[in-house]
């Protein structure tokens, strides 16, 4: 499609292209040939930057995972009642998802066929478990309804949050603001849609 | 893998095999050859039952869509306050999703490359719109919190409900009961996780 460009890529910009193609074709369906064509540089130029497509995948999902785990170290994730902490983590998770949309999208689609994919799945489960632990602590502090099964609630909460990768698209000057979506998720999950109570 | 079996398939049993393969390989990634191998019958035997893989897709997603739209005609979906009706429809949607898991999974993965896929997407949007209308009516009746954006709430509600296809697996004698999951979804979405209120 394009003639080979002079290689002005850095590992970082190459990653942007790779993530887009992984999301379009699926990781399994992407060859080095596809990446080379999309980046407009030769395969050997790509190998100059990375060992192969699995390294690109590892870098991409690491970016999403690092951003997610960093949330847990923020001050507001560690102080106050557990229910406040888990609301905070939920709000920030939505924020990271929107800020790192292609990277989190890729992370959520990983299926576990390679070492890197299995590692990513494992880390994702670890993050989910940290949130489940917060919900459990909130239940123990009496701040959740008595009938809440925290394991099931964790799945439904992530179901709601992660669904954003399916429909949220940043639209400058239109669509939803990040803050608005994060607030809607937290209010729906913790206070419900019904008025009164 | 298997030697060709005598063709004892009906369109119905062939559909079961096709849906499994579509979900495993993706619709685009499935050839008649894959279906023939999975069913253990020749391609010409398959063509004896259906015109091609698109007809199998249409039958499969129709099964999911018919079950979903049937909910809207049930008596409890049409009487009482809108908030009760939308809670009922949500509970039953979870029920259909669990009862018709492979068919709804396929429906939710449809991407819109063929006439049948575009039709399925259109019907899905129609169903979502019917639920959005119910939420709007509930808001108009004053039964939703004043800050609820019903369009956004519809997306999050379906995000939560549809996430079930990613993790729910029927396990006789273990795991979650359908009723329990449906109730957890409705309580979380409408009353929230927090106690008190």
């Amino acid at each position: 499609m394009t003639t080979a460009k002079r290689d002005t890529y850095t590992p970082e910009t190459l990653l942007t292209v790779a993530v887009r193609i992984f999301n379009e074709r699926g990781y399994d369906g992407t060859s080095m040939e596809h990446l080379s064509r999309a980046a407009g540089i030769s395969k050997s130029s790509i190998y100059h930057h990375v060992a192969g497509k699995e390294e690109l995948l590892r870098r991409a999902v690491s970016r999403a995972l690092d951003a997610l785990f960093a949330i847990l170290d923020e001050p507001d994730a560690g102080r106050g009642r557990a229910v406040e902490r888990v609301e905070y983590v939920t709000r920030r998770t939505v924020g990271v998802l929107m800020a790192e949309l292609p990277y989190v999208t890729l992370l959520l689609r990983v299926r576990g066929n390679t070492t890197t994919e299995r590692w990513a799945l494992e880390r994702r489960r670890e993050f989910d478990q940290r949130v489940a632990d917060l919900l459990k602590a909130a239940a123990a502090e009496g701040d959740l309804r008595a009938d809440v099964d925290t394991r099931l609630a964790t799945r439904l909460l992530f179901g709601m949050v992660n669904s954003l990768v399916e429909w949220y698209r940043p639209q400058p000057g239109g669509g939803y603001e990040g803050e608005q979506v994060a607030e809607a998720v937290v209010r729906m999950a913790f206070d419900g849609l019904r008025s009164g109570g």
Side-chain angles (χ1 to χ4, degrees), chain A:
Chain A
M1 303 288 279
T2 56
T3 51
K5 283 183 285 190
R6 202 166 137 260
D7 179 9
T8 53
Y9 279 91
T10 64
E12 200 58 25
T13 55
L14 185 59
L15 197 60
T16 312
V17 175
V19 168
R20 180 168 56 79
I21 307 299
F22 288 159
N23 281 331
E24 279 172 18
R25 314 188 62 99
Y27 176 68
D28 287 338
T30 303
S31 65
M32 287 301 274
E33 183 60 35
H34 293 132
L35 295 178
S36 152
R37 252 180 288 150
I41 58 175
S42 67
K43 277 192 273 185
S44 66
S45 295
I46 297 181
Y47 285 119
H48 173 70
H49 295 295
V50 292
K53 71 169 193 165
E54 193 163 350
E55 184 180 337
L56 286 165
L57 179 70
R58 190 181 52 73
R59 283 171 191 253
V61 296
S62 289
R63 177 161 156 168
L65 287 162
D66 289 350
L68 288 170
F69 276 94
I71 296 170
L72 302 172
D73 294 327
E74 293 175 14
D76 285 345
R79 65 183 165 215
R81 297 185 74 82
V83 71
E84 303 294 338
R85 302 209 303 271
V86 71
E87 282 199 6
Y88 177 81
V89 169
T90 302
R91 186 176 288 112
R92 289 283 298 117
T93 299
V94 174
V96 163
L97 205 142
M98 290 172 144
E100 305 288 349
L101 195 61
Y103 299 90
V104 180
T105 301
L106 184 63
L107 174 67
L108 295 177
R109 290 186 183 162
V110 152
R111 282 295 166 259
N113 297 320
T114 62
T115 312
T116 299
E117 287 173 277
R118 282 189 293 274
W119 165 81
L121 278 178
E122 188 49 47
R123 293 284 286 160
R124 233 189 98 186
R125 266 195 292 269
E126 229 176 286
F127 183 78
D128 291 8
Q129 189 54 52
R130 296 283 294 272
V131 175
D133 289 345
L134 277 176
L135 274 179
K136 230 178 283 174
E141 289 174 7
D143 289 333
L144 301 193
R145 281 186 293 102
D147 63 342
V148 170
D149 173 316
T150 53
R151 199 162 63 97
L152 184 49
T154 306
R155 289 201 185 268
L156 295 175
L157 183 61
F158 278 108
M160 199 190 323
V161 169
N162 294 344
S163 75
L164 265 71
V165 306
E166 301 300 329
W167 59 264
Y168 176 74
R169 296 295 171 267
Q171 288 168 348
Y176 295 108
E177 298 293 326
E179 285 295 311
Q180 186 191 359
V181 177
E183 193 55 27
V185 168
V186 171
R187 289 283 67 80
M188 182 163 166
F190 291 91
D191 298 334
L193 296 171
R194 270 184 186 256
S195 59

